[in-house]
Amino acid sequence: MSGLAYLDAAELRSLLIGGALSVHELVEATLDRAVALNPRLNAFVTIDRAGALAAATEADALIAADGHAAFAARPLLGIPVSIKDLTPTEGLRTTRGSVPLREHVPAEDAPVVARLRTAGAIVTGKTNTSEDGWSGGCVNRLVGATANPWDPSRTPGGSSGGSAAAVAAGIGPLATGTDGAGSIRIPAAFCGVVGFKPSLGRVPYVPVSAELLSHCGVLARTVADAAAAFDVLAGPDPRDSFCLDGPPAPATPGPLRIGWIDGLGAPAPEPEIAGLARAAVAALGDFGHEIEVTTPPFDDPYQTLATILACADAAGHLDRPDPVEPERWSAIRFGRTRSAVELAVAEQARTELCDRVRRRMARFDLLATPTVPIAPFPVDQHGPVPPVAKGDASWLAWTPNTYPFNLTGQPAISVPAGLTAGGIPVGVQLIGRWRADLTVLRAAAELECARPWRHLYRRVPVAEEETHDQPSVR
């Protein structure tokens, strides 16, 4: 797999179209790499060798029968993709990182999975998450912690940590993620990959999340791959009544006005992180974009987020066993003690936040920040220790640059800004106006051109430490 591991989906597609590679060869190599690296990474809860190879055989037969026409109708034909274990997959267990759901097998695919399969992608397995995606770490009681490929003693971030770790380690070019407070962008930053959270409602989220903060999105190693996956995933579905109709707004042409903000609340970004992110955004000036330092358009909305999230989490556990993790139980208990008035106040604050951001973005096409203000914390933690304290429920308080844009529903992407002196990735976040997904992707692609990062993946330490121990494989 070493020759294929860090090729992007577009390059793999060219090899498949040209006949230099079969889908079976590609998928088998990807599965072998997953099996080899998973004992170190613990990125996968389930590796679906049987299902993936059967789908690969079908894809090769389709190509043999239809030739290039097979690819014309299926933009991701033969491309391996892993699915976050929060997302339902027909016939393939979906545990949500939860012990009570360890053997749960859904009867149908979520829309994002169905669309990937229709586009020809090959599902290789399910990636690890915190239980129900509740924290910004990637550890649960079911299978334990996922390791960061750049430093296995550290977290990959969460809750889409398994997906980010797999992509960073070259186990397929694409993975799905979900993001309710930063769960795509945090692990993208910590693992040095691209993490795109589209506008709320642009990609259907099924089962619909009670708090209406969660987005489905994608993790990839290139912006082009993320954009290709987004094109497949976007569009309404009747199972999600909050989906947006119509296509995304066209990308804004010409020079963009970009507002740079160091941080949106405590903790302030570590100096090295802020410096790398700021330098990356400055490179967009090479494309004629105007970069202006600006101030946050709002006060830290953490209490609004915590109230809405905790109330939804408490409602989801009315008929389920209480979780064992003390940190999570603290958040659920907080939700159970909120009144209807307090929840209504939080929802009103969310509305006011959206209006403040809308007014500020009348001046800017994009905002830019460091994605996460801190370096990855130890691998077995849900957050930094000592925790960042913001009231009675502070489990996500340490990531103030990501959660505001779940409350507002704006599209946001994290792309690599470089490596620290210690060799740990740093991400920079670009945030667009609501529904301006393609403008975000345009600017991210230009940043990738100005500050290329693909060569960095050859330096991922875990990727070159393959072991032949065997994880559980379906």
Side-chain angles (χ1 to χ4, degrees):
M1 180 66 178
S2 58
L4 300 173
Y6 287 111
L7 296 183
D8 61 36
E11 291 167 331
L12 293 171
R13 181 176 170 85
S14 294
L15 291 175
L16 293 169
I17 291 174
L21 181 68
S22 73
V23 177
H24 194 281
E25 289 170 332
L26 172 58
V27 171
E28 188 166 41
T30 304
L31 292 166
D32 287 347
R33 189 170 178 86
V35 169
L37 291 178
N38 209 54
R40 283 285 304 236
L41 289 177
N42 198 32
F44 286 84
V45 178
T46 303
I47 297 173
D48 187 16
R49 177 175 286 275
L53 290 178
T57 298
E58 291 179 7
D60 280 328
L62 185 65
I63 293 167
D66 295 348
H68 286 191
F71 292 95
R74 299 165 184 83
L76 296 178
L77 182 59
I79 301 302
V81 60
S82 51
I83 307 297
K84 184 178 180 180
D85 206 31
L86 291 189
T87 302
T89 41
E90 180 182 354
L92 184 62
R93 71 171 183 153
T94 299
T95 71
R96 298 184 61 86
S98 174
V99 171
L101 297 176
R102 68 168 76 224
E103 301 300 334
H104 172 60
V105 178
E108 65 177 355
D109 285 331
V112 292
V113 179
R115 290 174 182 183
L116 287 167
R117 294 194 204 270
T118 299
I122 310 294
V123 173
T124 54
K126 305 300 292 291
T127 54
N128 200 22
T129 173
S130 57
E131 184 178 17
D132 292 329
W134 81 279
S135 80
C138 194
V139 56
N140 58 57
R141 292 175 291 138
L142 182 66
V143 298
T146 297
N148 191 317
W150 295 88
D151 180 350
S153 72
R154 301 188 189 218
T155 183
S159 61
S160 307
S163 289
V167 170
I171 309 173
L174 292 170
T176 68
T178 61
D179 190 315
S183 285
I184 289 173
R185 291 159 290 155
I186 294 166
F190 282 176
C191 292
V193 298
V194 177
F196 181 47
K197 176 191 79 70
S199 295
L200 185 64
R202 178 58 63 199
V203 176
Y205 193 105
V206 176
V208 176
S209 59
E211 81 288 339
L212 296 181
L213 294 170
S214 295
H215 306 53
C216 282
V218 63
L219 295 111
R221 288 188 298 274
T222 69
V223 176
D225 280 1
F230 170 66
D231 191 50
V232 166
L233 298 178
D237 184 279
R239 289 168 288 179
D240 182 354
S241 59
F242 298 96
C243 276
L244 300 175
D245 285 323
T252 301
L256 302 174
R257 294 197 66 188
I258 302 172
W260 167 260
I261 305 173
D262 267 336
L264 292 166
E270 296 173 7
E272 187 176 22
I273 290 172
L276 285 167
R278 192 182 304 114
V281 170
L284 285 171
D286 295 342
F287 290 85
H289 304 314
E290 180 183 346
I291 317 297
E292 177 185 329
V293 177
T294 188
T295 57
F298 47 76
D299 294 330
D300 186 347
Y302 181 73
Q303 291 305 317
T304 297
L305 176 100
T307 297
I308 295 172
L309 272 181
C311 287
D313 211 8
H317 284 80
L318 291 178
D319 57 355
R320 288 180 54 183
D322 291 336
V324 169
E325 295 98 329
E327 300 97 332
R328 188 167 188 221
W329 172 235
S330 175
I332 291 173
R333 186 171 60 245
F334 177 79
R336 288 179 174 180
T337 60
R338 299 306 93 184
S339 69
V341 171
E342 287 171 309
L343 179 58
V345 168
E347 294 291 358
Q348 179 60 35
R350 180 181 185 178
T351 300
E352 293 170 359
L353 172 69
C354 291
D355 188 60
R356 289 193 188 96
V357 175
R358 179 187 61 80
R359 291 173 183 274
R360 175 61 59 87
M361 296 205 75
R363 288 178 49 203
F364 296 106
D365 299 289
L366 298 170
L367 298 177
T369 73
T371 307
V372 186
I374 62 174
F377 40 85
V379 65
D380 58 352
Q381 294 178 187
H382 288 292
V385 176
V388 176
K390 295 180 184 176
D392 295 333
S394 298
W395 77 102
L396 289 171
W398 53 272
T399 181
N401 293 357
T402 59
Y403 55 69
F405 306 109
N406 294 87
L407 289 163
T408 64
Q410 292 165 257
I413 194 168
S414 178
V415 297
L419 301 178
T420 66
I424 300 299
V426 168
V428 61
Q429 178 181 220
L430 303 176
I431 306 106
R433 295 169 180 162
W434 190 47
R435 300 194 183 207
D437 301 82
L438 299 185
T439 299
V440 171
L441 288 167
R442 172 207 164 184
E446 291 172 345
L447 196 153
E448 182 178 20
C449 183
R451 296 283 296 268
W453 55 70
R454 287 188 59 182
H455 62 284
L456 296 177
Y457 296 118
R458 294 287 180 183
R459 296 165 53 185
V460 179
V462 166
E464 303 310 319
E465 296 177 8
E466 297 186 14
T467 171
H468 297 288
D469 296 337
Q470 301 293 310
S472 175
V473 180
R474 179 178 182 270

